[in-house]
Amino acid sequence: MTDATTGAGLRPFGRSLDPLEGESLAGFVLRLAHRLHVSPHELARLTGLTNHDRLGRARASLSTLLTPAEISRCARTTRLDPREVRAMTLQPLASRYPPAARSLDDIRAGRVYSMHTDGWLFATTARYCPRCLAGDGSDIQNAHGGPWQILWRLPVVFACPLHKVFLEHLCPRCHKPINFSSRTQLFPRPAATGIHPAHCRSSTPQDVPTSRPGAPCGAPLAHDPVHHHRPGPALLELQRKILGLLGPGRPKRRAQQYFTELILLAGLVMICWPRIQAVGTTRQLAAAVDRHLAIHEGADSRPYRSSGAPVDALACAGLLQVTDHILTAGDLREALAPLAPEENRTRSGIPPTRHLIWDKNFKKQRSACSERFQLAADTIVPTFRRTGKGGLRLPSTGAGLQPEHVPACLPQALAERHLSFLSDITPKMRRRTAAVFLVRRARGGSLNDAAQFLGINTENKRIGYTQLLNRHLRTSGTARDFEQALDAITAELIAGPAIDYRHRRDALATWTLEPQNWQHILTQLPDLTSHRKPLSDDRRRLAVSAYIWTRVTEGQPDFAPCPPHIALDPALRAVWTRERHNVFHWLCTTDHQPYYGALKPLLEDHAEHLAKEIDRL
């Protein structure tokens, strides 16, 4: 092991500084370099932070993650505790802020120069509070400035609650992003010596007179805030909430879920802006979001908006305020509905690519979200989670309803309460189709798989009525109403007795009413005085068996199983189908058929007794 690796050749400084609360590594190096009258790049070399760079540069990734050897060298030369050095990086925040965790993974994988951070983590400090940089009035901060906060690298930190001002990102003189440099380097070049830590280090543009072209701007950043608009109480409360989740003392899992959902939802809000701009923010902040998104609307812009955070604190604050307002709504599914209804995909002019990219990101990060967000966001994703590319749909997490507890045809009263808005669909079709959609929710797969599970699909033929309903929901704009109706039906089925309809269907797959039981029923009927044939015909027994099957299984007569001994004979099957139709017709018109009016309650009693016997098995 070499001296460069162990740091044995590095000497501790005669003078050092104590890190300020919340200070970043870059800010500490700037202050200490100013005290020792060396450039930041020279100080990075003296602390061993540039040993792994063949060009002797201080990598931008150093402010995100330091190796144990780098921590040891930096702590030894600056006379700090290794824990103090580690605290000046993003590593302690990685367990709470997912973009930081992803950045750490990139660096550990060797991508230390490209800094593959996502759009919700600044590669280097991108915002600042002028009053924080002015210091707290102590001698040491008067001499070298206040702390460059590590939290300023997180776009979700947009205001300073202590001074009640928005953070800034531009130099007041050169109007360039402060400390602007390549994403690969921690400090901008040229590596000037003697520049105050609270002064701008960006290269001076040509229209700003300086003593030397290309020299650092050097303008003081500890100025009076530029923004006349100040964050109000609600916005400051949101910022304190975010800072609380980033700090210790709060459950890490909750913080991870909140920031994952906040960032995902912010991307969707940007896609759908300005449809929802009036929700939860002020006109000034909404205007700032407008200005930010206008950058992506030019002739040369990409066909979809970036989902990255705005660098401007006002635009980011407005975006996050809208997003948090939606995220904390009592009915999250209702709050999410305006963000991605059918008209967004087909009639709003928003390119479908934008939604598809968001859908892909959501599916990738879905497991990191809370169950509440997963269930709500599933309803606005057009392509559902699948077992793999081209695979079958997976069941909805937390549906709470088992597929075997769904009847093949919803009870009429249940359908009337929740599906009456589908007036253009026949009652039979809406009851049947709703059952298919409920089963697909519970077990995943395709609609045809769900229909096969219920026993209501035609052999070797795709069911067309679900496609008919889907088309009707799209054209009528009632897709969200249908999802909410399914929610209500699910809640009622869960609250009621758990009936295993699949077990009942399996038990009655080859069943017919026993002849002796049929004769017993006939003895309780009045004498037939009309010219009609008596019911003792065996064909009527088989037809009545189909009626009892529908009552036990909550099915429909069209899908009642044909008795096995006649199923293979087309002629006998046709006779059975005709007799079944006639018996069902007469049983449904008992007001004009007294004979069948007396038969119907007897069949209902037998069906109830049979259902209880099956459920006990």
Side-chain angles (χ1 to χ4, degrees):
M1 188 175 294
T2 65
D3 289 347
T5 303
T6 63
L10 301 175
R11 295 181 299 173
F13 300 139
R15 293 185 300 170
S16 186
L17 287 173
D18 291 327
L20 301 178
E21 184 178 359
E23 188 171 26
S24 67
L25 179 65
F28 175 78
V29 171
L30 288 176
R31 291 195 312 116
L32 184 55
H34 186 259
R35 185 180 192 188
L36 299 179
H37 304 289
V38 297
S39 71
H41 291 279
E42 177 65 13
L43 185 70
R45 185 187 66 80
L46 294 174
T47 54
L49 295 178
T50 61
N51 284 4
H52 290 307
D53 190 287
R54 57 187 176 85
L55 299 178
R57 297 174 299 184
R59 307 185 309 272
S61 61
L62 293 171
S63 62
T64 299
L65 176 68
L66 295 174
T67 65
E70 290 168 339
I71 291 177
S72 176
R73 290 195 296 266
C74 185
R76 181 171 180 270
T77 54
T78 57
R79 302 178 182 273
L80 298 179
D81 187 286
R83 290 172 295 183
E84 293 179 300
V85 177
R86 181 179 180 272
M88 291 188 287
T89 68
L90 285 179
Q91 189 175 4
L93 294 172
S95 61
R96 298 177 177 276
Y97 192 66
R102 291 192 287 270
S103 182
L104 262 63
D105 291 340
D106 284 336
I107 295 171
R108 291 189 178 108
R111 296 185 286 268
V112 294
Y113 294 110
S114 55
M115 282 295 292
H116 285 75
T117 56
D118 60 21
W120 286 87
L121 183 66
F122 299 134
T124 56
T125 303
R127 294 182 188 149
Y128 66 98
C129 169
R131 294 183 177 175
C132 285
L133 291 184
D136 60 3
S138 63
D139 292 340
I140 195 69
Q141 293 196 32
N142 284 338
H144 308 295
W148 285 92
Q149 298 281 352
I150 186 67
L151 290 176
W152 293 345
R153 288 192 55 199
L154 310 185
V156 293
V157 180
F158 52 81
C160 176
L162 177 62
H163 298 113
K164 295 182 174 56
V165 296
F166 285 108
L167 301 184
E168 300 181 19
H169 70 286
L170 298 176
C171 169
R173 185 171 74 179
C174 70
H175 305 294
K176 292 182 67 175
I178 49 100
N179 293 346
F180 177 77
S181 68
S182 167
R183 290 172 62 89
T184 65
Q185 299 182 44
L186 189 60
F187 308 107
R189 291 185 179 274
T193 303
I195 297 180
H196 193 277
H199 288 191
C200 178
R201 294 173 177 269
S202 297
S203 297
T204 308
Q206 296 297 322
D207 57 347
V208 177
T210 61
S211 58
R212 184 162 54 91
C217 172
L221 302 177
H223 54 79
D224 290 334
V226 174
H227 298 300
H228 299 293
H229 186 61
R230 302 295 180 88
L235 204 56
L236 289 174
E237 183 60 30
L238 172 60
Q239 186 65 92
R240 293 188 187 99
K241 169 185 173 181
I242 289 173
L243 294 175
L245 289 170
L246 290 170
R250 300 289 184 89
K252 294 180 180 179
R253 177 62 176 166
R254 178 68 193 100
Q256 291 173 348
Q257 291 177 343
Y258 175 78
F259 289 119
T260 300
E261 295 165 9
L262 188 73
I263 292 170
L264 279 172
L265 192 51
L268 191 57
V269 167
M270 284 191 281
I271 289 173
C272 301
W273 195 274
R275 293 173 58 87
I276 38 76
Q277 68 173 356
V279 180
T281 193
T282 65
R283 285 180 296 177
Q284 293 90 337
L285 297 184
V289 179
D290 287 338
R291 290 191 296 271
H292 167 72
L293 293 179
I295 299 173
H296 305 285
E297 295 297 332
D300 297 329
S301 65
R302 302 181 73 178
Y304 57 89
R305 290 174 179 164
S306 168
S307 60
V311 180
D312 179 61
L314 270 72
C316 198
L319 176 64
L320 292 178
Q321 194 171 30
V322 171
T323 304
D324 182 78
H325 180 82
I326 297 172
L327 194 58
T328 56
D331 188 341
L332 182 57
R333 178 173 294 180
E334 178 73 19
L336 287 178
L339 295 176
E342 286 297 324
E343 56 266 24
N344 266 1
R345 304 182 191 282
T346 57
R347 295 194 291 271
S348 70
I350 298 176
T353 308
R354 294 180 180 174
H355 279 295
L356 294 176
I357 290 174
W358 185 86
D359 296 338
K360 182 179 180 180
N361 290 334
F362 168 64
K363 292 171 189 175
K364 186 184 300 182
Q365 301 181 42
R366 185 181 186 278
S367 60
C369 301
S370 65
E371 184 175 299
R372 173 177 179 264
F373 187 85
Q374 291 181 31
L375 295 177
D378 272 343
T379 64
I380 60 174
V381 176
T383 54
F384 296 92
R385 298 178 304 118
R386 299 183 181 276
T387 55
K389 187 175 182 180
L392 295 176
R393 174 178 169 172
L394 294 173
S396 298
T397 304
L401 182 66
Q402 298 301 317
E404 60 268 19
H405 296 158
V406 179
C409 182
L410 289 183
Q412 184 172 349
L414 196 61
E416 289 177 353
R417 280 197 297 274
H418 302 292
L419 299 175
S420 58
F421 65 93
L422 297 174
S423 56
D424 294 339
I425 306 295
T426 62
K428 180 173 69 173
M429 285 300 181
R430 67 177 85 146
R431 292 167 61 191
R432 179 190 300 175
T433 307
V436 174
F437 276 84
L438 286 171
V439 169
R440 188 182 69 166
R441 269 189 174 194
R443 71 188 299 265
S446 66
L447 290 172
N448 282 280
D449 292 337
Q452 184 176 2
F453 179 87
L454 292 171
I456 63 175
N457 62 327
T458 304
E459 186 176 1
N460 297 325
K461 184 178 180 181
R462 292 180 61 86
I463 51 175
Y465 48 86
T466 54
Q467 297 174 359
L468 174 66
L469 177 63
N470 270 327
R471 186 161 54 248
H472 174 76
L473 294 176
R474 287 195 299 270
T475 56
S476 63
T478 54
R480 180 162 58 94
D481 296 330
F482 184 64
E483 289 292 337
Q484 291 176 334
L486 294 183
D487 290 342
I489 294 171
T490 298
E492 287 204 35
L493 290 176
I494 292 175
I499 299 174
D500 191 338
Y501 291 102
R502 185 183 190 183
H503 176 57
R504 290 184 178 184
R505 290 193 296 270
D506 291 342
L508 298 181
T510 60
W511 174 89
T512 57
L513 180 63
E514 298 81 356
Q516 60 271 26
N517 290 334
W518 175 232
Q519 292 302 320
H520 177 70
I521 291 174
L522 291 177
T523 60
Q524 302 177 62
L525 296 176
D527 293 334
L528 184 64
T529 58
S530 68
H531 63 279
R532 296 185 182 279
K533 293 182 180 180
L535 288 172
S536 57
D537 192 320
D538 196 55
R539 293 177 301 177
R540 302 293 170 86
R541 176 180 69 85
L542 299 181
V544 165
S545 300
Y547 179 81
I548 295 175
W549 179 91
T550 63
R551 305 307 296 164
V552 175
T553 65
E554 291 285 357
Q556 288 183 309
D558 293 344
F559 300 102
C562 183
H565 66 282
I566 65 173
L568 300 180
D569 189 323
L572 293 178
R573 188 184 183 100
V575 171
W576 171 80
T577 300
R578 183 173 62 253
E579 291 296 329
R580 182 195 64 190
H581 173 78
N582 291 338
V583 168
F584 271 84
H585 171 72
W586 291 329
L587 288 173
C588 292
T589 57
T590 53
D591 291 342
H592 306 288
Q593 299 287 343
Y595 197 76
Y596 283 90
L599 174 63
K600 187 173 182 178
L602 297 175
L603 298 180
E604 298 284 353
D605 290 342
H606 191 81
E608 183 177 356
H609 173 75
L610 183 60
K612 291 179 180 179
E613 290 293 325
I614 295 174
D615 292 343
R616 281 198 292 265
L617 296 178

